[in-house]
Every structure is written in C-alpha cells, then in structure tokens.
Amino acid sequence: MRWPTVILLISIVGASAEDVETPKPPPAFLPLRFNEDYSRLADPSVHIDAFDPLKYLRLRADDPTWYLSFGGELRERLELISNPNFGLGGPRDGYLLQRITLEADLHLSNRLRFYVEGISGLIWDEDTPPPPVQDDPADLQFAFMDVVPWLDEDQKLTVRFGRFGMSLGSGRLVATRAAPNIPFKFDGTELLYDREGWEALAFLTRPGKERTNGFDQEDNDTTFWGAYLTHWLDAKKRSGFDLYYLGLARENSVYASGKANQHRHSIGLRSFGEVAGWDWNAEGIVQFGSFGSDQIFAWTGSVDGGYSWKDTAWKPRLGVKFDVASGDRNPTDGRQETFDPLFFKSGYFNDASLLRPSNIIDIHPSVSFEPARRMEVSGGVDVFWRYSSQDAIYNPPGFIEVPVTNNRSRYLGTALDVNVSWRVQRHALLSSSYVYFFTDNYVHSAGGGGVGFFSATLQLEF
C-alpha cells in the first residue's frame, strides 16, 4: 500500500470518528456518483459528516439551489489468476490495479447543472500488455451539462449533453463496468423524465473508446440509442417493472460464425420486487436485425429470486439465479442467433468476470448472511452449459474465449465462489472474492483447463 492510500485512509477514519453515534447517516455512495443528491446539506444543522462542507458549498446566500459539490474515490485492487482465459492466455498472472477519480458538480439553480469527473487508472506487474480499460494514467471520464426545461411539483424533464455513464435496470444490458479501472462512458444526448411512480429516458450516443495514451475518443464504428421506461408499484421503489428498446449499429462485429457489420435491436421486459421476505428479478429480451447478409434472431431470459430472514440473527438469504442466452445453432443457415449483452455489468456471474452472457445456460444457487454490522458474506455454486455446441464461449469484451471444437459436449464447467464485503465505515469499503472454475471435456479439447481467481479491494470515497 502506497503512502497516499495510507494518508487518505487515516484522514477518513479520523474524520468520521465523531459521527459513530449519529442516528441518521448521509446517503450511500452510488456507482454513478453524479446520481447522488446533496442538496439537503443546504441546512447546516444536518451536517454530521466531516466531508459535508465539501459536498455542499453554497454559492448564493439567498438561493440554496446554487451550490458546488466535490467528491472522489481511491481504489486499490489486487487480482491473482491461474490459467487466464481457461489456460488459453497464459499459465498465471497477478497484478495491482489503482483507480483515482475526482469530480466537481456545479448547480446554477434547479434548471442548469455542469458535472465533470477525471479519472486515472494504473496497473502494475501484469505479465501481458494491459488493455486501455486497465491502463489509462489520466483521462476525462464524464463531462456533461444538464438543462431542465420542464419542472413543477409533479414532473421533471432533464436534457443532458456531453459524456456520461448509464446503468439501466439490473445492468443486464447497460451498466457501469465497475471491476476494471475505467468504467463505460457514452458521448451524446439523453432525455430523463421523472414523475411520481414513473421514470423514463431516451438517448442517442456513441460509446467511449479507451486509449492508454491521449484522451478517450468516441467509437466511430458504433452507435447506440434507445428508450427505457420504469414504473414503480410502491412508494419505496421496491417493486415495479421495466419496458425498453435498445438499438445498436456496430461495424466489424465478430462471432464464431464470422465478421460483419451488424444492426441489432433489443426489446426487453423486466419485473422486480420484494414482499414478505421474498425477492425476485425476472427479465426477458428478444433481439432482431441484421449481421452482414444474415438475419439476427436471438434471445435471453433470466430469473433471480430468493427468501431473506431479515428479522433473525445474521439475516440469511437463500437464492437461485437461472440464465439462458441463445447461441448460433448453424453458422451457415443465414441466421445469427448469438445473443449480444451489449454493455453489460462486469462480474455478471462472479467477480472473476470470465464469461460473457452469450451462448450460455447457467443455474446458480447461493447463500448470503451478515455476521457483523455492515458485513456480508456470500457464496454459491454456478453450473454452466453452452446453449449451442456449434457456437463458441465469449469473454466479457466479446472476443472468442473458447473456440468451437470437434467436441460437442455442451457442459462447460462449474464455478465455486465465496465473497466478503465489509463497509468499515461510510468512506471505506473492503471486499474480497475467491472463484474456482472447474472445466470439462469441451474446454480440455481446446487445450484449456480450470481457472482460479482471487481479488482483494479497498475503496475510499468521499
């Protein structure tokens, strides 16, 4: 651990010592920091955190809607992996990741806002040349302007211009990519509408293209657009449904069946909720369009549910998740059937982030509990099959991980995972994960084998 990390950790722990006894802590930090709202700090009497003066700096004495807010993160993450890419990418690797972000959020009334976030991502000791998503010493992660042309007591419409992040629903198709150093970013325009019980957005963007040397630029080979509607069924926003359409045009997309330009359209429906200890999150998506001269027809379905004993010691939860994502059953029949999860969340199956949810069937029973305050321990067993033995297994960026072989076994392997997360206090989070992926004949026929993975992460935020 380097000296800046030690100094920041000491200052954060010391600064928050006086709010140990406070009954109402500040809001939680969010994956997309620009979604945090610190306007309540206009009232000095609610200041209970040592960093509150940085979170709300009043700019006009007679108008609390004019203010400036600062924030940031320092993340140190160790990753150790044996048999990267199922043994097809080297025997062993271990490296340290560091991410630093600093953001400034300027509100000039309720109608105008400017947000900027800088980022630095560094990697040490990796055996192979690191990709730009891990190695980017200095860059502009987000920079946007919000204009609010419609605002009343019941409704709000925001128009956003610039570079921003998105996380839609459960993150199955659009999320933050939090595990690598550099998260997803999008350049374009977004419309956000909010009223009681409803949220809606529409956007037209190009995703950011990471570069190690120089500022990230737009990916001119890709255009991404869509509309997303959420209806909440209760005031606490615990239950509801999503309905959405997402469009993608990408040049030179690669699948096991070949390489071509694609135009892909995704229509999805999601239901989620909590009631009497039960929770569920079910989602179905259909994709259509064109891949070169082929017609696209792909689909996926996911059901994630469980039961929690919230009023008992350790608050245990038993859960199970089931996923199916279609694969191409015949590369020469004029149909492209491999499901594309677009900009899905990292660690979708587990923290090792080995697989892309394409051409996959899996069932993942799990258990979690809270042995101490602010601590959660979880673990499970995830069994994987290929949907089609004529299609490959893909890694998270979308490249072929395990190619099609003469082995027609659909069984891919079984992953065991154990995870520990401890929120030491508001500004410090420690987490760790261990995953071992047992493989079978299909992976072995390609020259691969089992994978072991360990991570340990320290996050400091303000």
Side-chain angles (χ1 to χ4, degrees):
M1 187 182 295
R2 286 169 296 282
W3 281 110
T5 305
V6 175
I7 293 171
L8 183 56
L9 178 59
I10 291 173
S11 64
I12 284 177
V13 172
S16 63
E18 62 188 42
D19 44 280
V20 172
E21 300 298 325
T22 55
K24 187 178 179 180
F29 297 117
L30 300 176
L32 292 173
R33 298 295 305 274
F34 56 75
N35 286 331
E36 297 167 10
D37 182 5
Y38 292 96
S39 59
R40 69 180 186 87
L41 296 178
D43 179 3
S45 67
V46 304
H47 288 205
I48 59 175
D49 187 273
F51 286 90
D52 281 348
L54 282 177
K55 306 308 296 181
Y56 183 91
L57 286 80
R58 192 161 184 155
L59 301 179
R60 280 191 172 182
D62 60 344
D63 191 342
T65 66
W66 286 63
Y67 68 94
L68 179 61
S69 180
F70 293 102
E73 175 199 41
L74 171 62
R75 187 192 73 161
E76 305 285 345
R77 178 175 169 92
L78 172 68
E79 294 188 355
L80 304 173
I81 185 168
S82 61
N83 273 354
N85 304 106
F86 292 97
L88 304 175
R92 185 180 298 274
D93 203 358
Y95 44 85
L96 179 66
L97 301 171
Q98 182 184 77
R99 178 170 69 210
I100 299 175
T101 65
L102 291 172
E103 61 254 14
D105 190 4
L106 176 63
H107 293 253
L108 304 178
S109 79
N110 288 327
R111 302 263 185 180
L112 183 62
R113 176 193 184 194
F114 296 90
Y115 181 90
V116 62
E117 180 176 318
I119 193 167
S120 171
L122 299 175
I123 185 170
W124 288 273
D125 298 327
E126 188 177 34
D127 293 339
T128 59
V133 296
Q134 303 286 31
D135 188 21
D136 191 353
D139 220 314
L140 183 65
Q141 180 65 12
F142 301 133
F144 62 80
M145 175 180 68
D146 281 354
V147 178
V148 182
W150 185 7
L151 176 65
D152 58 35
E153 294 181 358
D154 301 319
Q155 305 175 83
K156 180 180 180 180
L157 175 65
T158 303
V159 183
R160 180 167 293 168
F161 307 93
R163 171 170 290 183
F164 46 84
M166 294 188 291
S167 184
L168 305 180
S170 61
R172 186 165 177 80
L173 291 185
V174 183
T176 57
R177 191 176 63 187
N181 271 336
I182 309 300
F184 284 125
K185 60 178 74 73
F186 300 90
D187 292 345
T189 302
E190 189 176 25
L191 303 178
L192 303 102
Y193 175 76
D194 185 16
R195 65 173 298 169
E196 185 176 358
W198 295 88
E199 290 181 4
L201 66 86
F203 60 91
L204 174 62
T205 67
R206 290 189 184 273
K209 189 173 183 178
E210 289 77 16
R211 302 168 63 201
T212 297
N213 298 311
F215 285 117
D216 294 346
Q217 298 177 338
E218 293 181 0
D219 182 356
N220 294 320
D221 295 334
T222 305
T223 304
F224 183 47
W225 66 95
Y228 202 99
L229 174 69
T230 298
H231 178 46
W232 306 99
L233 299 177
D234 64 312
K236 294 184 178 180
K237 297 185 177 182
R238 292 177 178 174
S239 301
F241 66 83
D242 300 336
L243 177 65
Y244 56 90
Y245 160 77
L246 304 173
L248 179 77
R250 177 176 284 158
E251 297 181 13
N252 300 317
S253 295
V254 178
Y255 298 94
S257 59
K259 179 179 181 180
N261 296 343
Q262 73 165 324
H263 288 79
R264 187 176 294 254
H265 309 277
S266 303
I267 296 177
L269 177 64
R270 171 179 173 246
S271 172
F272 58 93
E274 299 179 21
V275 58
W278 295 94
D279 63 85
W280 72 91
N281 183 5
E283 192 163 3
I285 304 164
V286 175
Q287 295 182 332
F288 57 92
S290 63
F291 175 70
S293 60
D294 291 353
Q295 295 300 305
I296 293 174
F297 180 75
W299 61 276
T300 189
S302 175
V303 178
D304 184 3
Y307 184 82
S308 302
W309 289 265
K310 296 182 179 180
D311 296 327
T312 63
W314 290 23
K315 301 179 181 179
R317 176 187 183 272
L318 293 178
V320 63
K321 184 178 181 182
F322 175 69
D323 293 275
V324 182
S326 65
D328 199 19
R329 293 174 291 184
N330 186 341
T332 63
D333 66 354
R335 298 180 68 182
Q336 171 51 257
E337 300 170 294
T338 306
F339 179 76
D340 187 341
L342 306 180
F343 306 95
F344 71 104
K345 61 184 177 183
S346 57
Y348 181 86
F349 297 108
N350 53 56
D351 195 40
S353 297
L354 297 172
L355 302 173
R356 185 178 180 88
S358 303
N359 191 37
I360 281 286
I361 301 172
D362 87 295
I363 184 167
H364 187 184
S366 63
V367 60
S368 66
F369 51 91
E370 300 177 17
R373 185 170 178 262
R374 296 177 176 174
M375 177 180 288
E376 180 178 86
V377 179
S378 64
V381 179
D382 205 347
V383 186
F384 294 89
W385 298 265
R386 286 186 291 173
Y387 177 86
S388 170
S389 62
Q390 303 294 321
D391 202 349
I393 290 298
Y394 301 85
N395 64 12
F399 303 113
I400 293 175
E401 181 95 284
V402 185
V404 178
T405 71
N406 292 328
N407 188 291
R408 292 297 175 246
S409 172
R410 295 170 65 185
Y411 176 60
L412 174 62
T414 299
L416 307 179
D417 63 277
V418 179
N419 314 279
V420 180
S421 176
W422 179 31
R423 175 64 68 175
V424 182
Q425 50 91 254
R426 169 169 164 75
H427 300 281
L429 174 66
L430 289 171
S431 59
S432 183
S433 178
Y434 176 75
V435 178
Y436 193 86
F437 203 116
F438 298 91
T439 55
D440 203 62
N441 293 334
Y442 162 57
V443 175
H444 300 166
S445 69
V451 182
F453 175 86
F454 172 80
S455 71
T457 305
L458 167 66
Q459 287 179 256
L460 305 175
E461 301 165 294
F462 74 95

